[in-house]
Amino acid sequence: MVVDLAELADAGLLDRMGIERTALKSATLNAMLKSGKEGIRRLRARLSELLRTENSEIRDNAALLHRALIPIGSATMHLPVHVGDYTDFYSSRQHAYNVGCMFRDPANALMPNWLHLPVGYHGRASSIVVSGTPIRRPMGQYKPSPEAAPEFGASRQLDMELEVGFITFDGNELGERITTAEAEDRIFGSVLFNDWSARDIQAWEYVPLGPFLGKNFGSSMSAWIVTLDALEPFRIPSPVQEPAVLPYLQQNGEHHFDIQLEAGITPADGKETVICRTNFKNMYWSMAQQLAHHTVNGCNVRAGDLMASGTISGDTPESYGSLLELAWKGTKPLKLADGTERKFILDGDRVVIRGHCEKDGVRIGFGAVEGTILPAR
Ligand code: MN
């Protein structure tokens, strides 16, 4: 069931949270996020109280119960926040290593900066869409072979990137910074994210300024944001970082999370094949380190900004988070359940990413982020 906060607000059940009713009834969560970690914590505690079996405030109000609790299957989900700014990191070591092996060599797979800072780039917020929105195959420039002249056409190397993103509260004023110790208090929660990528367009355009039209034709986000508070039971130790990172990136305690992730492809009229099983614990840099690094120069972060992890690849070939890696640059095509092969994504393919946490009988779902590829035009 989905709880409609607007109905609970209208019924006066969410007053005295320090959050305006208009914020709770808004089409996006941005106004609500202005109340910060403490406001959202009060709201979450109040919702937990209202939904307890022994609490009668909703339970014994049949009309409200009917309006405020909606079967999940009959709810139409929209993009939960207006994303003001979107940044994509590159924080899975295995992913960076795999890409380095493919395009450079294993001895120099990681770029010299990679172990010293969480590498990232500024993405495009306008083309972030909610799960379920179809994605049109992009047109663009690419080179059919390294020696060939550039051509214009539909991308032939459309790929997915399995990522987990986080949504921020208001973070810092311009010119101020967020420390690693403060960072998690500026994070609202996590989403599933597919950073669709046209590898052929990307390969030709990215030098020297990085990703551009190979990335900004569409990025898919799950409709559900799981609060960082809900993820508390799933904290796990952060990896040892060697060489030691500079003081502003150092952190104490457990800042990584055990989130089980998988991706599948369903061809048009076909059955789904799970192509990847990985975990958010395969991150080298934590969300706190990403946010501290992002703001260390004084760059301000605002409520509703999205920071994505980068492709999450584990250390086995089944756990690679992109087709580029799973099919190893097209040299090891994936076999799907219907007998067809994939080097990259075909028109009509539906790509889904799912995530959940599970421990001691407690399970928290992230739902899914999915999208179907439409032919170029
Ligand atoms: Mn990415």
Side-chain angles (χ1 to χ4, degrees):
M1 304 293 275
V2 182
V3 182
D4 187 343
L5 295 188
E7 293 292 347
L8 300 188
D10 272 342
L13 293 176
L14 300 178
D15 293 345
R16 296 183 301 280
M17 295 289 105
I19 306 176
E20 295 290 329
R21 278 192 193 184
T22 50
L24 294 166
K25 296 175 68 176
S26 172
T28 63
L29 299 179
N30 296 65
M32 195 180 90
L33 295 184
K34 291 282 181 187
S35 66
K37 187 77 132 195
E38 289 313 310
I40 297 299
R41 230 169 228 167
R42 285 193 297 273
L43 178 62
R44 185 167 179 263
R46 175 63 174 149
L47 284 172
S48 173
E49 179 182 79
L50 285 169
L51 294 171
R52 281 171 200 277
T53 319
E54 65 271 20
N55 187 299
S56 62
E57 292 172 88
I58 303 177
R59 189 194 65 200
D60 294 351
N61 184 337
L64 178 62
L65 194 63
H66 181 70
R67 287 200 309 274
L69 288 177
I70 301 156
I72 199 164
S74 59
T76 302
M77 301 304 295
H78 300 273
L79 207 56
V81 286
H82 169 76
V83 178
D85 281 296
Y86 152 50
T87 299
D88 195 22
F89 285 94
Y90 190 57
S91 291
S92 149
R93 184 173 185 161
Q94 187 70 43
H95 172 67
Y97 175 79
N98 287 346
V99 172
C101 286
M102 273 184 262
F103 295 98
R104 288 182 297 278
D105 67 278
N108 301 297
L110 287 184
M111 294 298 272
N113 60 3
W114 201 92
L115 293 170
H116 296 275
L117 57 88
V119 170
Y121 68 94
H122 283 129
R124 181 80 189 166
S126 69
S127 50
I128 294 173
V129 294
V130 73
S131 175
T133 309
I135 299 290
R136 188 165 298 280
R137 179 179 299 273
M139 301 290 291
Q141 267 197 42
Y142 50 80
K143 290 175 74 167
S145 69
E147 310 75 30
E151 292 180 5
F152 176 75
S155 169
R156 301 167 185 183
Q157 296 185 351
L158 184 56
D159 199 358
M160 55 161 290
E161 292 193 337
L162 188 163
E163 306 196 15
V164 170
F166 66 84
I167 302 289
T168 59
F169 294 115
D170 275 331
N172 55 321
E173 296 296 327
L174 182 63
E176 303 295 317
R177 57 167 122 154
I178 300 172
T179 66
T180 51
E182 296 163 336
E184 288 180 357
D185 284 341
R186 314 296 165 86
I187 297 174
F188 171 49
S190 295
V191 295
L192 301 175
F193 193 70
N194 185 348
D195 176 24
W196 303 95
S197 301
R199 300 300 181 195
D200 40 5
I201 296 172
Q202 184 183 359
W204 171 227
E205 74 175 358
Y206 87 102
V207 181
L209 291 185
F212 188 29
L213 305 184
K215 296 278 193 178
N216 69 6
F217 58 91
S219 313
S220 301
M221 185 174 125
S222 58
W224 305 101
I225 306 174
V226 179
T227 63
L228 218 51
D229 282 346
L231 293 177
E232 279 300 328
F234 307 101
R235 277 186 191 271
I236 49 171
S238 296
V240 175
Q241 294 185 316
E242 181 60 43
V245 297
L246 288 168
Y248 82 94
L249 287 170
Q250 287 168 10
Q251 56 187 357
N252 298 312
E254 303 185 337
H255 299 281
H256 278 61
F257 295 86
D258 181 359
I259 305 175
Q260 300 179 48
L261 302 161
E262 66 174 33
I265 292 182
T266 308
D269 305 322
K271 277 200 320 214
E272 179 180 307
T273 305
V274 172
I275 57 168
C276 158
R277 286 195 176 86
T278 185
N279 194 300
F280 192 47
K281 70 184 175 191
N282 291 316
M283 300 285 288
Y284 186 80
W285 298 101
S286 69
M287 293 184 281
Q289 288 177 314
Q290 290 172 336
L291 196 50
H293 183 66
H294 202 304
T295 60
V296 74
N297 65 347
C299 173
N300 51 329
V301 166
R302 296 177 294 194
D305 284 358
L306 169 65
M307 315 268 168
S309 58
T311 308
I312 303 166
S313 296
D315 53 12
T316 60
E318 309 78 50
S319 64
Y320 296 167
S322 67
L323 274 169
L324 178 70
E325 295 160 271
L326 289 163
W328 207 257
K329 220 179 166 186
T331 61
K332 297 176 185 166
L334 284 182
K335 260 265 195 310
L336 300 190
D338 67 358
T340 60
E341 288 188 339
R342 291 292 182 284
K343 294 176 180 174
F344 292 99
I345 299 167
L346 300 182
D347 291 347
D349 284 352
R350 186 168 69 95
V351 178
V352 58
I353 298 170
R354 297 184 200 88
H356 74 273
C357 300
E358 195 160 14
K359 186 185 173 186
D360 302 332
V362 176
R363 182 182 166 116
I364 294 181
F366 277 70
V369 59
E370 61 181 66
T372 300
I373 299 301
L374 303 176
R377 73 169 172 219

